[in-house]
Amino acid sequence: MTEVILVDETDNEIGTMEKLTAHQVAVLHRAISVFLFNDKDEILLQRRASDKYHSGGLWTNTCCSHPYPGEATQAAAYRRLKEEMGVICDLEPVFNFIYKANLDHDLIEHELDHVFIGRFNGIPKPNTDEVMDWKYMAIDDLQIDVEVHPEKYTAWFKICLNQVLTNLTRI
């Protein structure tokens, strides 16, 4: 049973809850999202495995998950990046945001998401239990595709993409 960290709107921890239950009752919890870019400023996207408990088969940022209780957000970002994509690289925390979105399977994401950006030019080695596909994509092409085909992308990705791109100059 995986637990998530429940937080208030200023990211103070207020408890823990089983992950699926947190997504069923829409309680605010802590999350992490990692966005990697290569030296051509192409973004490394992953396509979530089709059997994920929500948003299966959708394209999203390089890595996204939840810290374990007692785990720092940056440590969780490094851990999950390695577990999901087989990648180790430097990450910089850039911002966080709160969102609430209805998902498939009658689940609701209500997260305070900590966003990290990094540089990576290699070939990832994704965990096939987590990731069914990956690609580098030019930012202009991505922005057009998200606008034309929003149904192909995860809710959180669409919400924070523009803010991530405005912070890209920081790395």
Side-chain angles (χ1 to χ4, degrees):
M1 176 172 81
T2 303
E3 290 194 325
V4 295
I5 302 166
L6 305 181
V7 295
D8 65 18
E9 291 188 356
T10 56
D11 202 28
N12 295 304
E13 294 183 24
I14 57 174
T16 62
M17 183 178 285
E18 194 277 324
K19 181 170 70 171
L20 183 57
T21 304
H23 290 103
Q24 291 168 330
V25 299
V27 64
L28 184 62
H29 59 280
R30 189 175 290 155
I32 55 104
S33 288
V34 176
F35 289 75
L36 296 185
F37 296 85
N38 64 18
D39 288 342
K40 295 187 269 184
D41 282 340
E42 295 170 325
I43 187 170
L44 177 57
L45 300 175
Q46 70 153 277
R47 188 171 178 202
R48 292 169 58 88
S50 59
D51 60 354
K52 296 286 280 185
Y53 72 106
H54 71 73
S55 307
L58 297 182
W59 288 97
T60 196
N61 47 291
T62 312
C63 168
C64 36
S65 191
H66 306 91
Y68 292 140
E71 181 181 36
T73 55
Q74 190 148 6
Y78 284 117
R79 174 181 55 81
R80 287 304 293 165
L81 182 58
K82 184 176 181 198
E83 291 172 355
E84 287 186 25
M85 297 296 283
V87 170
I88 299 171
C89 67
D90 290 336
L91 298 174
E92 180 180 339
V94 287
F95 66 90
N96 58 54
F97 69 104
I98 294 174
Y99 74 99
K100 192 173 188 180
N102 293 324
L103 306 175
D104 53 341
H105 307 295
D106 295 319
L107 298 177
I108 301 169
E109 256 327 1
H110 191 196
E111 294 185 336
L112 193 155
D113 196 355
H114 293 257
V115 177
F116 298 84
I117 297 177
R119 291 279 179 189
F120 179 73
N121 289 295
I123 304 295
K125 297 175 181 66
N127 176 343
T128 56
D129 291 336
E130 301 281 345
V131 179
M132 65 187 294
D133 200 3
W134 64 272
K135 63 183 172 184
Y136 283 102
M137 192 169 189
I139 292 169
D140 290 345
D141 294 340
L142 174 63
Q143 289 175 307
I144 291 167
D145 200 51
V146 168
E147 187 174 319
V148 174
H149 300 288
E151 72 284 356
K152 294 178 9 182
Y153 297 90
T154 61
W156 60 90
F157 179 76
K158 293 181 287 190
I159 291 168
C160 73
L161 178 62
N162 287 335
Q163 191 171 354
V164 168
L165 296 176
T166 63
N167 281 278
L168 187 55
T169 57
R170 292 179 56 179
I171 59 164

